[in-house]
Amino acid sequence: MSQWEIPKPQPVMSEETAPFWEGTAKGELRVQRCAACGSLQLPASAVCSSCLSSDIAWIQVSGHGAVFSFTVVHHAFHPAFASEVPYVVADIELDEGPVLTASIVDVDHAEVKIGMEVEARFRRLDEEYVLCVFIPRGSKLPEGAPGDSGTESKQTGGK
Amino acid sequence: MAGMSGKVSVVGVGHTAYGRLPGVSAWALQAEAVRNAVADAGLSIADVDGLFTESQFSEPLLMHGTILGRQLGMRPRFLSTQSQGGATCISLIQTAALAIDAGMCSVAAVVYGDNAKTGQPNIYGLAQMGRGQADFVAHGLLGGPAMEALAAQRYRWEYGVTDEQFGSVAVTFRRHASLTPHAQYREPMSMDDYLASRWIAEPLRLYDCAITTDGGACVLLASTERARDTAQPGVQIIGMGQAHNLDGLRDKHHYTQFAGARSSREAYAMAGIGPRDVDVAEFYDCFTSTVLVTLEDYGFVGRGEAGAFAAEGGLSLSGALPSNTSGGLLSEANVTGWGQVIEAVRQLRGSCGARQVRGASTAVCSGHGGFQATHATLVLAGADAA
Ligand SMILES: [Zn+2]
């Protein structure tokens, strides 16, 4: 990145979200699991939103899901995205249940449909954060292909 | 009618010019709006003992009401600042009505103002939701339109809504704005203009989205008894409701059925009316898609029928449900929900000139925000109906 580039807005690590970002840094997609009632949830909450238990652990999930809804963003709401529009952001309903809002990358925008099956990939945002993004399931993207957006890795060891 | 119905009235409304007002601070806009509303009611600021505010969105502040109240020289008996996105105005009005009915204040000013058009841009606004609460910004999901687009896309997919059906909302409300002298955008908009407007975040085009405004607005409330001694025809609050879907997509219906369904049910019950009794609707039209979902939530049409209803002219001044009669957030002004309530009051006073809905005696206003999360409903009745 040149020093003249405007950085993208970062996630903000919090007590609740730190394990999520530690996961993406290792190429793992994680969700919260309540030990008391078994509910799975995203985004991260301070307690289980089903039973209010504080006994929450993070578990790794498959990284497989389907598009619940999506948008093709054409207007750069932040100057850091001016060179990237148009791009796709979607609500991904994970096979395990929770919904994650994330980019769909390396896809012809006309191909993106509600219900389309996708799988997780991990792309470095900056020195601190790795984002979980999605690609169409089964697309023949080389593993670990480094792009301008940084190194990429496939979900590892998902159950 | 039940509960609070008819006990509190809107006694004054006021706003600033709307549009591009460079060099005028949000505070100056808020103060001018209060001054105009007090004058409209034939009261003085010394009569106002309740202050209900929402912080300017472009500069979200802690303790906003204390800062505004100091500048207005007030020592109110009741003070409240709220933050519920587009539902804030109606929620503040409801809180003020409860406070008035409880005897905790007698005249309440409910106020908002922002110089969002020419003042400080607020591109980092979502970060103010708190650490870790809006991490999707890193994926480029920033700004209201991109957030709303996710819901609009799902709604469109579930019911087969067409571009022209979305567009009919924008075109109709622009026609209403053209009859509104103070509206920010009055030049006619055709369907071709709508379809040619650039994509913001598919399926939303520029003309599907609320405009940006420098402006301030104020609604003044008092007990219906007190209202009899004020300058304007009384407009009573006969129904109030709110409901909030704070659990996001844990319920997969929340992109296509908003909390307005529950909120409107509460308000209708208090008012003792149903959707068929409504003469004028002033919807929180932050996006064309929001209007369509709200039409269904409020029972004006069945699920999936709103697009056809709008395209067939149902929202126009001569339609089955004249709506956003001054142009709404899409064309009149974006002072969050205040414009909706002020226009409803003017319709019920019968003071709307070329855009007056003849015989309007019952109006409903919606407030909607927080990215499909918050909702509040107000039912108002003119002096004849009440
Ligand atoms: Zn639980």
Side-chain angles (χ1 to χ4, degrees):
Chain A
M1 180 186 292
S2 102
Q3 61 177 319
W4 306 111
E5 259 178 73
I6 299 164
K8 285 184 181 170
Q10 278 189 320
V12 187
M13 188 96 69
S14 71
E15 290 82 348
E16 284 76 34
T17 62
F20 179 87
W21 297 112
E22 287 159 17
T24 59
K26 294 179 185 166
E28 295 177 14
L29 176 57
R30 298 174 178 177
V31 305
Q32 286 184 316
R33 182 180 182 282
C34 173
C37 77
S39 293
L40 303 182
Q41 65 184 21
L42 276 182
S45 297
V47 294
C48 169
S49 301
S50 296
C51 77
L52 299 197
S53 169
S54 295
D55 193 0
I56 294 180
W58 285 84
I59 60 162
Q60 186 180 355
V61 291
S62 65
H64 288 181
V67 175
F68 181 77
S69 194
F70 70 97
T71 178
V72 183
V73 179
H74 291 258
H75 178 81
F77 290 93
H78 185 288
F81 290 94
S83 60
E84 300 201 7
V85 288
Y87 55 86
V88 180
V89 185
D91 289 315
I92 306 299
E93 186 173 8
L94 301 175
D95 284 0
E96 293 82 1
V99 175
L100 177 63
T101 303
S103 312
I104 301 179
V105 300
D106 301 323
V107 64
D108 177 354
H109 297 168
E111 299 292 309
V112 180
K113 299 276 187 286
I114 288 174
M116 184 177 84
E117 297 190 326
V118 293
E119 59 186 79
R121 286 290 186 277
F122 296 87
R123 292 223 169 145
R124 184 159 285 286
L125 175 72
D126 54 28
E127 282 158 19
E128 284 178 83
Y129 288 96
V130 173
L131 298 181
C132 175
V133 301
F134 289 85
I135 62 168
R137 195 171 313 170
S139 53
K140 298 284 178 256
L141 196 74
E143 276 181 47
D148 290 341
S149 49
T151 54
E152 167 164 326
S153 59
K154 196 174 174 179
Q155 169 98 4
T156 52
K159 305 284 184 300
Chain B
M1 299 204 289
M4 285 283 303
S5 193
K7 291 185 172 178
V8 173
S9 291
V10 178
V11 297
V13 295
H15 58 78
T16 65
Y18 293 143
R20 184 176 286 279
L21 306 169
V24 184
S25 75
W27 303 114
L29 294 165
Q30 292 160 28
E32 184 186 341
V34 172
R35 202 162 60 218
N36 291 345
V38 166
D40 182 59
L43 296 170
S44 83
I45 187 70
D47 296 313
V48 180
D49 59 359
L51 181 61
F52 298 79
T53 79
E54 176 181 13
S55 177
Q56 50 269 33
F57 194 71
S58 65
E59 186 191 13
L61 296 166
L62 294 174
M63 295 182 285
H64 170 270
T66 66
I67 304 168
L68 178 62
R70 178 184 61 75
Q71 296 180 81
L72 297 173
M74 291 180 69
R75 287 168 52 179
R77 295 163 63 202
F78 201 107
L79 174 67
S80 180
T81 295
Q82 296 183 12
S83 175
Q84 301 178 9
T88 308
C89 174
I90 292 177
S91 181
L92 285 166
I93 287 172
Q94 293 174 357
T95 308
L98 293 169
I100 289 167
D101 188 53
M104 296 184 73
C105 63
S106 58
V107 178
V110 183
V111 60
Y112 181 78
D114 196 2
N115 54 357
K117 184 118 187 127
T118 61
Q120 172 188 337
N122 184 29
I123 56 174
Y124 304 101
L126 288 170
Q128 281 140 355
M129 291 171 71
R131 287 188 303 130
Q133 300 301 314
D135 284 344
F136 45 73
V137 296
H139 294 271
L141 194 70
L142 298 125
M147 300 281 291
E148 179 68 20
L150 292 168
Q153 184 87 276
R154 182 77 194 188
Y155 173 72
R156 197 180 133 94
W157 180 81
E158 288 201 10
Y159 295 118
V161 183
T162 66
D163 288 12
E164 286 79 5
Q165 289 174 345
F166 278 150
S168 67
V169 176
V171 169
T172 302
F173 292 178
R174 176 61 62 88
R175 196 175 329 119
H176 298 171
S178 73
L179 300 172
T180 306
H182 63 262
Q184 191 170 336
Y185 292 101
R186 302 186 63 201
E187 56 282 11
M189 180 199 296
S190 67
M191 183 59 74
D192 286 343
D193 294 333
Y194 166 81
L195 292 170
S197 71
R198 65 188 171 92
W199 289 116
I200 300 297
E202 293 180 44
L204 301 177
R205 295 174 163 85
L206 178 66
Y207 291 158
D208 287 303
C209 302
I211 60 174
T212 303
T213 299
D214 293 336
C218 178
V219 173
L220 214 60
L221 307 177
S223 70
T224 295
E225 201 178 329
R226 175 82 186 263
R228 297 196 179 100
D229 303 324
T230 56
Q232 300 290 345
V235 171
Q236 296 184 10
I237 296 173
I238 63 166
M240 308 195 296
Q242 53 176 281
H244 309 282
N245 289 342
L246 307 184
D247 49 349
L249 282 176
R250 288 162 62 87
D251 183 329
K252 301 296 191 303
H253 295 104
H254 285 177
Y255 275 178
T256 48
Q257 302 178 22
F258 299 155
R262 292 187 290 136
S263 177
S264 61
R265 209 152 52 227
E266 303 243 352
Y268 290 145
M270 187 187 287
I273 66 159
R276 283 188 196 155
D277 302 310
V278 175
D279 302 312
V280 181
E282 303 292 342
F283 294 115
Y284 195 83
D285 55 336
C286 45
F287 302 97
T288 55
S289 51
T290 314
V291 174
L292 298 184
V293 177
T294 307
L295 276 163
E296 297 172 10
D297 284 342
Y298 277 46
F300 292 117
V301 296
R303 290 286 168 205
E305 295 173 6
F309 179 80
E312 286 157 16
L315 303 174
S316 68
L317 292 177
S318 56
L321 183 70
S323 299
N324 297 52
T325 49
S326 53
L329 295 148
L330 292 168
S331 284
E332 178 199 20
N334 182 352
V335 279
T336 70
W338 272 258
Q340 281 55 44
V341 176
I342 290 174
E343 175 66 6
V345 168
R346 287 175 169 158
Q347 285 287 346
L348 297 173
R349 288 177 178 177
S351 64
C352 286
R355 65 180 193 281
Q356 179 65 43
V357 175
R358 215 168 285 176
S361 64
T362 304
V364 69
C365 302
S366 71
H368 177 80
F371 310 117
Q372 302 89 40
T374 65
H375 201 98
T377 309
L378 202 61
V379 185
L380 299 170
D384 296 340

